[in-house]
Amino acid sequence: AAAKSRQAEQQADLANAPMTIVDFKDKTAKYTRVQAEYRAHLAKCGFDEKLSHSHLVEAHNQLEGLRAALGAAQADLEQYQDLPASQVGAEIRLKQSREALHAVKSRLEQGMADL
């Protein structure tokens, strides 16, 4: 029991000890090897890099930009929704607008004359 206790203490001391350069290089090499194995496994299973988190975040940001641009374009388009579809209709609308403008000018001139 005492030997197990000492071994546990030694392992705890090693876990708390600062990492040496050799330990760091070994750990980095192991991590790189494990990462390569996982990448190979994912590729074998049909994983596409386009499905990675960073790519999905980038695609989401592009989508939000496109939605914002679409909203602006739709707002610009709405101002033209009530325009007539034909040239004849546009000419009639223009004539009506000129008549309305003339009526407003007449009222303004009348109001100015009454002052």
Side-chain angles (χ1 to χ4, degrees):
K4 285 185 181 181
S5 175
R6 270 189 242 130
Q7 186 180 10
E9 285 179 22
Q10 288 175 346
Q11 287 178 348
D13 289 341
L14 286 175
N16 293 330
M19 187 181 290
T20 66
I21 296 291
V22 174
D23 293 337
F24 179 74
K25 287 182 179 179
D26 288 344
K27 193 170 188 176
T28 303
K30 181 181 176 185
Y31 174 77
T32 303
R33 189 173 47 255
V34 168
Q35 186 180 28
E37 289 172 5
Y38 282 129
R39 286 186 189 271
H41 179 71
L42 287 172
K44 189 170 34 171
C45 292
F47 177 75
D48 187 1
E49 280 293 320
K50 293 178 184 172
L51 296 176
S52 69
H53 177 74
S54 60
H55 284 96
L56 291 175
V57 168
E58 183 180 329
H60 173 73
N61 291 338
Q62 289 176 347
L63 177 62
E64 290 301 315
L66 290 172
R67 283 182 176 159
L70 178 62
Q74 285 177 331
D76 287 343
L77 181 61
E78 284 179 13
Q79 65 183 332
Y80 299 106
Q81 291 297 333
D82 63 335
L83 291 178
S86 68
Q87 185 173 352
V88 173
E91 289 171 357
I92 293 170
R93 175 74 60 87
L94 184 59
K95 182 180 177 187
Q96 291 170 344
S97 297
R98 285 184 180 148
E99 289 171 356
L101 178 62
H102 180 68
V104 169
K105 280 184 178 181
S106 296
R107 279 187 282 162
L108 178 63
E109 289 172 0
Q110 183 65 36
M112 296 297 282
D114 289 343
L115 288 177

